[in-house]
Amino acid sequence: MVIGWYIHHHGFGHLSRFLAVAPHLREPVLAFSSMPRPAGLPADIDWIDLPPDADPFESADGTTVDPRDAEPTARGALHWAPHDHPGHRARLAAIATVAAARDLRAFVVDVSAEVVAFARLLGLRTIAVTQPGARTDAPHALAYSLADRIVAPWAHGAVATPALSEHSDRVMWTGGISRFDGRDVDGPRDERSVLLLGRMLDDDARHEVVSLLRDRGWEVTAVGHDAASRIDDPWPLLTRSTVVVSAAGQNSVADLAASGARTVVISQERPFDEQHHTAEALERWGLARRAAAGIAPADLVDLVERAARDAPDWSRWQVAGGARRMAAAVEAVLP
């Protein structure tokens, strides 16, 4: 029984989650995304390239149309379904064509309210991946009501989820899902080193933070703030560094939990305040120090030095076995 899996193209988190869970699926899986096929993906996983649906397009009269001006929300009922966009139409057609040709039985959607609705209309057993934040709007309500299973990939009770309360019989709390779950730590942490992970500071602020930390005797490594600094395997840095400064995205947090890092999280502006809700939970549970996106460099350095004395109990984020639990939740809906 073939399982379809829709991977949203924004960022790398949705892809990372798929790569963590796919090895634990006992049934074949078929991926759909506008992202390019990732290097190293096992050959037995087919990758369906979906056309983009957010680029400007040419209307019938030859004018160029910005899809944001093409009634994409259907008066608030949807998140993204612009009138007349050929890419949007083609991507849904591709999903339907492949679903019929390959006899898909289940479809994981990470994430899109419209694809959840479409998959369910195709008669597929549908698994909606949700995220933290104030997701009480009409499109999310539609997706949650239609989904056969809802997967929440963080620790139960960490983040308030009023939108899920009436669907609790179909929600599976997996704990955080990290590609590093179960990986061994190579050695002890350094006594005075900082890892700046990802783009959570602008360039000027990052340079100033690095300078201030080095003036105080810290070794500093910065990765992932641009294409040139991106690395495929940050695990050795995560497990070696005294303190890690990171954004508060779901996959970043799961990786921090897997590594047991002392952490300062800088919540980024995201739809529905996802990272703000996550950062609040981490602070409340004593798992990380929290900083606002516009924090002054000197204040961030002070937070780093305080975080170096922390002892977070990351087991509360329940990363151990999270990918296996999500795979089991997906396969549980199969006939």
Side-chain angles (χ1 to χ4, degrees):
M1 288 180 282
V2 181
I3 299 166
W5 194 304
Y6 176 86
I7 302 164
H8 198 280
H9 56 273
H10 181 74
F12 294 93
H14 307 292
L15 174 60
S16 294
R17 187 152 42 226
F18 170 74
L19 294 175
V21 176
H24 301 291
L25 293 169
R26 294 168 298 177
E27 303 293 342
V29 62
L30 180 61
F32 298 76
S33 185
S34 296
M35 300 182 74
R37 182 186 178 95
L41 187 71
D44 62 343
I45 297 179
D46 288 338
W47 188 269
I48 306 302
D49 291 310
L50 298 179
D53 66 346
D55 54 324
F57 63 97
E58 188 175 296
S59 68
D61 62 6
T63 60
T64 298
V65 179
D66 185 326
R68 292 172 295 183
D69 300 325
E71 189 54 54
T73 71
R75 297 163 300 284
L78 301 171
H79 288 146
W80 193 257
H83 278 313
D84 302 323
H85 196 297
H88 180 74
R89 189 172 301 154
R91 68 195 286 117
L92 295 180
I95 291 171
T97 299
V98 174
R102 298 290 296 270
D103 193 22
L104 300 189
R105 297 303 178 93
F107 206 84
V108 182
V109 184
D110 189 3
V111 294
S112 167
E114 292 74 34
V115 177
V116 168
F118 189 66
R120 186 61 188 86
L121 285 169
L122 291 173
L124 299 172
R125 294 161 180 83
T126 306
I127 301 95
V129 180
T130 188
Q131 299 179 108
R135 300 178 187 273
T136 56
D137 56 294
H140 276 109
L142 174 65
Y144 297 152
S145 65
L146 292 176
D148 296 286
R149 183 63 57 91
I150 303 166
V151 170
W154 64 89
H156 190 199
V159 184
T161 53
L164 298 180
S165 59
E166 63 182 274
H167 310 294
S168 58
D169 59 320
R170 287 176 287 118
V171 178
M172 173 64 183
W173 306 89
T174 63
I177 296 174
S178 171
R179 55 184 165 151
F180 300 127
D181 180 18
R183 184 166 169 178
D184 292 335
V185 175
D186 294 334
R189 293 192 180 274
D190 297 340
E191 291 186 5
R192 205 163 172 82
S193 66
V194 177
L195 172 63
L196 304 180
L197 181 64
R199 184 171 177 79
M200 65 284 171
L201 298 167
D202 63 38
D203 291 342
D204 290 341
R206 186 182 71 257
H207 291 316
E208 187 172 351
V209 167
V210 170
S211 178
L212 289 171
L213 284 168
R214 287 175 175 164
D215 286 346
R216 296 194 189 185
W218 290 85
E219 174 191 344
V220 184
T221 303
V223 298
H225 50 271
D226 56 24
S229 68
R230 180 172 171 75
I231 60 174
D232 292 331
D233 184 12
W235 180 251
L237 291 171
L238 282 169
T239 55
R240 189 200 78 195
S241 300
T242 315
V243 178
V244 180
V245 182
S246 170
Q250 284 298 291
N251 282 273
S252 296
V253 171
D255 290 349
L256 293 166
S259 69
R262 302 181 187 98
T263 305
V264 177
V265 291
I266 304 178
S267 54
Q268 307 295 290
E269 294 297 331
R270 293 292 185 270
F272 309 99
D273 291 332
E274 171 196 338
Q275 292 201 14
H276 298 321
H277 285 249
T278 302
E280 288 172 1
L282 297 176
E283 182 179 54
R284 187 173 65 255
W285 279 14
L287 301 179
R289 303 273 176 166
R290 180 190 178 202
I295 187 172
D299 292 337
L300 179 55
V301 170
D302 288 340
L303 270 181
V304 166
E305 296 202 313
R306 289 202 291 273
R309 301 187 291 272
D310 290 343
D313 179 11
W314 277 112
S315 65
R316 299 189 69 183
W317 209 248
Q318 300 171 6
V319 167
R324 282 189 172 86
R325 287 190 289 274
M326 182 169 177
V330 170
E331 293 188 333
V333 306
L334 293 171

